[in-house]
Amino acid sequence: MTVDASESAPQPARQPVPRHAPVLVVDLGAQYAQLIARRVREAHVYSEIVPHTMPLSAMLAKGPAAIILSGGPASVYAEGAPQLDPALFGAGVPVLGLCYGFQAMARALGGEVARNGTREYGGTVLHAGPAPSVLLAGQPPRQSVWMSHGDSVVRAPEGFAVVAGTDVVPVAAFEDRERRLYGVQWHPEVRHSQFGQDQLVNFLTRGAGITPDWTTGSVITEQVTRVAAQVGGGRAICGLSGGVDSAVAAALVQRAIGERLTCVFVDHGLLRAGEADQVERDFVAATGVRLKVVDAQKRFLEALAGVTDPETKRKIIGREFIRVFEQAAREVVAEAGAHGEQVRYLVQGTLYPDVVESGGGEGAANIKSHHNVGGLPEDLDFDLVEPLRTLFKDEVRAVGEQLGLPDEIVHRQPFPGPGLGIRIIGEVTEDRLTTLRHADAIVREELTAAGLDRDIWQCPVVLLADVRSVGVQGDGRTYGPPVVLRPVSSEDAMTADWSKLPHDLLARISTRITNEVDEVNRVVLDITSKPPGTIEWE
């Protein structure tokens, strides 16, 4: 038996929604805000994350198709806990509250939330009813959901029907179909909630009347149109790193403006073994794009000399990138014979996680400055073109496949723009780069031989250059820097877990590095998830 809303009550009226108007995920302090946004996108609906501190007027100015209120760790009664503007619920926008968002919604609308000692954590059996439900339509009346709450809604606001409860919480979900307002106590965004994705889809399509048509093809069409309008008849250069982000960004922009795009590949000396050759060979062969290669190894090493602070290194690398691009832009104009025509636009492969982690997510904390966001110099002479700025990494890969880029580019493991410069803990020197480059090449070679390239997200290899450990090699004492392996699994880099590589593979990697790489006498494994750690060490 399944719950069917359509037979018991009229469906909410489907309102006309602008094409790809965003579903706003209001972050109320949740660890799962990014996950909610991803689940919405998996339902082929575009989503954005905004902070709860954003004024309601600013949220509504985005023309949202719907709003989802995230969970959060606070009690609605705690001093300083996030509060909701009651006017939100009279704005005519469909709203779904989750966990804390459900409780804050109930309280703002005159319901009652109690701290009565009733708690539910982990898997919990949900009972549908007594009223029919939009959210639970098409699902069994009993199902497992993931709970994490101390406070409970004990009385629904006026006008709301209670559509689900548990053995200990009678009001686990409510709905006001007339006003298109919905709330659930559990977390439908996590996989532990048995029918969680179905509930989100029901809210988006049945409750909010959104047509799920945000696809890879629509992203390409919209971004090509937007870039063509932004650049007009001008010229652009793209900072090509060899990674999937900049490659897909370049392919998108090339589709929009054609030969008026020149890709600039900066060999800054911070690359892994063989990467410069791979970029020149694979990307040009796949796209036919014009490519200008700039040898700037000496410039970057001199700029990084003596620098050990990771934020300073990132900012220096970002600054030097821009200075090189500015010179390359002048050369591009001269080589094209277009004297007097300025290259105004710089294409970057900036992704949504870059923006969020750099504090650019409209209220997000600055975790670290990505070279292409917080690391850019203030006197930037370019207008930025960032066609991937709202996408997660796996979405970018899908766009790349749709554009016809080869697997060698699309499924290349992520590599940071600042390169090995942020994988050396300490000062960046030529000798240290040589050491790390050799160790990294061994790791990549062994992962490929083991057939694990697609099974892990990436495996940063880190040189703890300022750390020394005692070792025994050749019957003698050694005193060298350790190498850290950081294999991680992820969907979008917003969260990650360490990859459980086979022990024999780890042993083989360790043996090869300590035998073949000068000075290194110890290999260690980083088994920290994200959070609390980040994927890169710096």
Side-chain angles (χ1 to χ4, degrees):
M1 178 181 177
T2 59
V3 180
D4 189 350
S6 60
E7 294 180 0
S8 307
Q11 291 293 303
R14 292 176 64 89
Q15 302 294 323
V17 174
R19 181 170 176 77
H20 300 150
V23 170
L24 300 183
V25 177
V26 180
D27 187 354
L28 293 164
Q31 58 177 317
Y32 295 136
Q34 291 87 5
L35 186 55
I36 298 168
R38 285 198 50 77
R39 296 295 179 246
V40 173
R41 293 182 181 205
E42 288 172 7
H44 303 298
V45 175
Y46 177 62
S47 62
E48 294 179 10
I49 303 169
V50 298
H52 68 87
T53 52
M54 176 182 281
L56 177 58
S57 59
M59 291 185 194
L60 297 180
K62 289 178 168 286
I67 291 175
I68 298 178
L69 308 174
S70 82
S75 164
V76 292
Y77 295 104
E79 183 177 353
Q83 301 298 318
L84 301 175
D85 185 341
L88 165 65
F89 306 108
V93 178
V95 179
L96 171 64
L98 309 180
C99 195
Y100 179 88
F102 168 64
Q103 297 170 5
M105 182 179 184
R107 192 170 185 227
L109 290 168
E112 185 179 350
V113 180
R115 290 177 289 180
N116 55 11
T118 299
R119 300 182 178 185
E120 290 176 308
Y121 296 104
T124 305
V125 176
L126 185 78
H127 308 278
S133 171
V134 169
L135 299 179
L136 302 176
Q139 301 159 37
R142 288 170 57 89
Q143 59 180 273
S144 178
V145 298
W146 192 260
M147 293 282 197
S148 181
H149 69 100
D151 296 347
S152 301
V153 176
V154 296
R155 181 173 56 82
E158 185 176 351
F160 281 78
V162 176
V163 298
T166 70
D167 290 340
V168 295
V169 175
V171 185
F174 55 46
E175 300 179 357
D176 183 335
R177 299 188 187 190
E178 186 68 26
R179 291 185 289 174
R180 298 190 297 172
L181 304 178
Y182 306 84
V184 301
Q185 180 60 72
W186 63 93
H187 288 276
E189 72 273 19
V190 303
R191 296 300 190 195
H192 302 293
S193 289
Q194 191 176 7
F195 294 93
Q197 186 66 9
D198 294 334
Q199 292 146 16
L200 290 174
V201 169
N202 279 346
F203 167 69
L204 297 168
T205 58
R206 294 170 176 259
I210 300 171
T211 300
D213 61 356
W214 190 72
T215 63
T216 299
S218 68
V219 169
I220 293 173
T221 299
E222 290 175 0
Q223 289 303 319
V224 166
T225 300
R226 187 190 67 79
V227 170
Q230 179 185 3
V231 177
R235 290 179 177 271
I237 60 174
C238 175
L240 194 66
S241 70
V244 62
D245 306 336
S246 61
V248 174
L252 263 176
V253 173
Q254 185 191 36
R255 182 168 289 195
I257 67 173
E259 294 185 356
R260 286 179 287 117
L261 171 69
T262 299
C263 288
V264 177
F265 176 68
V266 178
D267 186 352
H268 48 29
L270 307 175
L271 298 170
R272 299 184 293 187
E275 286 191 307
D277 292 339
Q278 182 189 43
V279 170
E280 291 190 63
R281 181 184 66 248
D282 294 343
F283 186 71
V284 174
T287 64
V289 72
R290 292 198 300 173
L291 178 66
K292 180 179 180 64
V293 179
V294 180
D295 185 350
Q297 298 182 49
K298 182 178 179 181
R299 174 176 185 152
F300 276 81
L301 278 175
E302 289 178 350
L304 290 168
V307 178
T308 59
D309 177 70
E311 275 290 280
T312 303
K313 283 198 284 188
R314 285 178 177 270
K315 290 181 184 298
I316 287 172
I317 294 169
R319 180 194 71 208
E320 293 303 315
F321 258 112
I322 296 302
R323 298 291 90 98
V324 172
F325 286 144
E326 289 169 344
Q327 177 60 35
R330 291 189 287 269
E331 294 173 2
V332 166
V333 171
E335 291 165 3
H339 298 290
E341 181 186 354
Q342 181 184 11
V343 176
R344 287 182 50 202
Y345 300 97
L346 170 62
V347 180
Q348 293 197 134
T350 307
L351 304 190
Y352 198 36
D354 300 341
V355 176
V356 173
E357 288 194 339
S358 297
E362 299 187 86
N366 187 346
I367 298 171
K368 58 185 178 184
S369 295
H370 288 258
H371 75 286
N372 53 350
V373 186
L376 295 174
E378 294 182 0
D379 58 342
L380 185 68
D381 285 340
F382 296 105
D383 291 335
L384 296 180
V385 178
E386 298 177 312
L388 311 178
R389 190 179 176 90
T390 62
L391 301 183
F392 291 96
K393 177 76 75 172
D394 57 322
E395 295 168 339
V396 171
R397 294 193 196 279
V399 169
E401 290 176 340
Q402 188 80 12
L403 289 170
L405 294 179
D407 279 355
E408 299 79 49
I409 293 175
V410 172
H411 292 288
R412 181 177 184 263
Q413 291 184 7
F415 185 61
L420 300 180
I422 59 168
R423 292 183 178 176
I424 294 175
I425 309 304
E427 182 184 5
V428 178
T429 68
E430 191 166 356
D431 287 345
R432 289 174 173 182
L433 284 167
T434 298
T435 297
L436 179 55
R437 197 173 281 122
H438 191 179
D440 176 88
I442 290 172
V443 173
R444 287 191 292 148
E445 181 181 316
E446 290 294 340
L447 288 174
T448 299
L452 295 177
D453 285 340
R454 294 283 188 94
D455 293 341
I456 65 172
W457 175 264
Q458 66 182 117
C459 185
V461 180
V462 182
L463 179 67
L464 303 185
D466 288 343
V467 176
R468 292 290 186 273
S469 68
V470 175
V472 179
Q473 291 172 298
D475 295 327
R477 178 184 187 275
T478 61
Y479 195 55
V483 160
V484 180
L485 308 183
R486 174 71 167 136
V488 295
S489 302
S490 180
E491 289 184 348
D492 50 35
M494 296 303 300
T495 60
D497 195 10
W498 65 282
S499 300
K500 285 69 174 175
L501 299 181
H503 290 180
D504 60 341
L505 172 62
L506 290 171
R508 191 160 56 249
I509 289 172
S510 177
T511 299
R512 285 197 58 190
I513 289 177
T514 53
N515 284 349
E516 299 175 28
V517 182
D518 292 341
E519 291 194 345
V520 176
N521 61 13
R522 192 178 300 271
V523 176
V524 298
L525 179 66
D526 182 348
I527 59 171
T528 312
S529 62
K530 176 185 179 181
T534 56
I535 293 177
E536 299 290 345
W537 273 48
E538 290 198 340

